[in-house]
Amino acid sequence: MGKAKKQSLQDETVDLSMAEKILVHYKDVDGCLIPVLQKIQNEYGYLRETIINLVSERLNMSVSEIIGVATFYSQFHLKPRGKHIIKVCCGTACHVKNAKSLSAKIVGRLKINANETTEDRMFTFEEVSCLGACGIAPVVVVDKDVHGTLSPDKLEDVLDRYVKPAA
Ligand code: FES
């Protein structure tokens, strides 16, 4: 059992110095897990296994406790994320305007399902609840850009802009 754990640690070669710095900074702060995870995620993009093990050691908490917190809050990610985050709204207003056809377009084009990232780490696709822009349903947000009244064809054009950014 111990052997398997060592192997899974070995397959990630990551510079832990930034994580160490963050942990030293919070070493004597009670209840610091969430800010520590936020800062570490900002640095590394997601909470990889090696880092969770390090946090566990330094904060003297079990790995399962840390994963429990990380999975409770949607802001934390345990898997790598893409350079661009595509959020398809599945709230009621978007649903009745056929948001499903937008999800289907993404699945067909990027060959990933919801909550997955393309192999080249360009895109992560998420289905989310109401984004607060029901007046322009159906809505897709890519990174911080809101795209409304979309059809599958218009979404195709939107995605093109992120694949081939304007010169
Ligand atoms: S339901 Fe999609 S923005 Fe509100």
Side-chain angles (χ1 to χ4, degrees):
M1 215 163 86
K3 197 175 174 193
K5 194 171 180 191
K6 259 188 199 147
Q7 278 175 344
S8 66
L9 283 176
Q10 278 169 358
D11 53 25
E12 287 190 44
T13 48
V14 59
D15 178 2
L16 295 175
S17 57
M18 211 46 225
E20 293 277 15
K21 262 191 203 158
I22 292 165
L23 285 159
V24 166
H25 181 78
Y26 282 94
K27 140 169 105 53
D28 298 317
V29 180
D30 282 343
C32 66
L33 180 62
I34 288 179
V36 162
L37 294 181
Q38 284 169 332
K39 290 214 163 14
I40 285 178
Q41 184 169 273
N42 284 346
E43 278 303 318
Y44 294 89
Y46 71 103
L47 302 172
R48 59 188 79 213
E49 182 183 349
T50 313
I51 287 183
I52 289 181
N53 289 336
L54 179 71
V55 172
S56 157
E57 227 177 274
R58 298 291 189 272
L59 297 186
N60 201 20
M61 295 176 77
S62 73
V63 166
S64 57
E65 209 175 336
I66 295 167
I67 290 178
V69 169
T71 51
F72 181 79
Y73 294 100
S74 60
Q75 64 177 300
F76 294 121
H77 307 289
L78 299 174
K79 290 196 282 188
R81 306 194 87 215
K83 182 174 174 202
H84 301 293
I85 311 298
I86 305 169
K87 294 181 180 177
V88 175
C89 179
C90 294
T92 308
C94 290
H95 178 74
V96 299
K97 296 259 175 113
N98 206 11
K100 278 226 170 316
S101 67
L102 304 179
S103 290
K105 170 59 76 181
I106 292 169
V107 170
R109 170 151 175 179
L110 301 180
K111 313 285 180 230
I112 50 171
N113 291 310
N115 299 317
E116 291 181 352
T117 297
T118 53
E119 257 178 42
D120 61 3
R121 296 219 188 148
M122 273 297 281
F123 296 102
T124 294
F125 163 39
E126 297 174 348
E127 290 183 322
V128 298
S129 49
C130 180
L131 289 163
C134 312
I136 54 167
V139 175
V140 170
V141 172
V142 184
D143 302 332
K144 292 193 162 81
D145 304 329
V146 179
H147 304 277
T149 58
L150 284 178
S151 63
D153 284 348
K154 282 193 203 164
L155 176 58
E156 185 92 52
D157 294 342
V158 167
L159 293 176
D160 280 344
R161 281 183 239 156
Y162 294 88
V163 176
K164 319 171 215 155

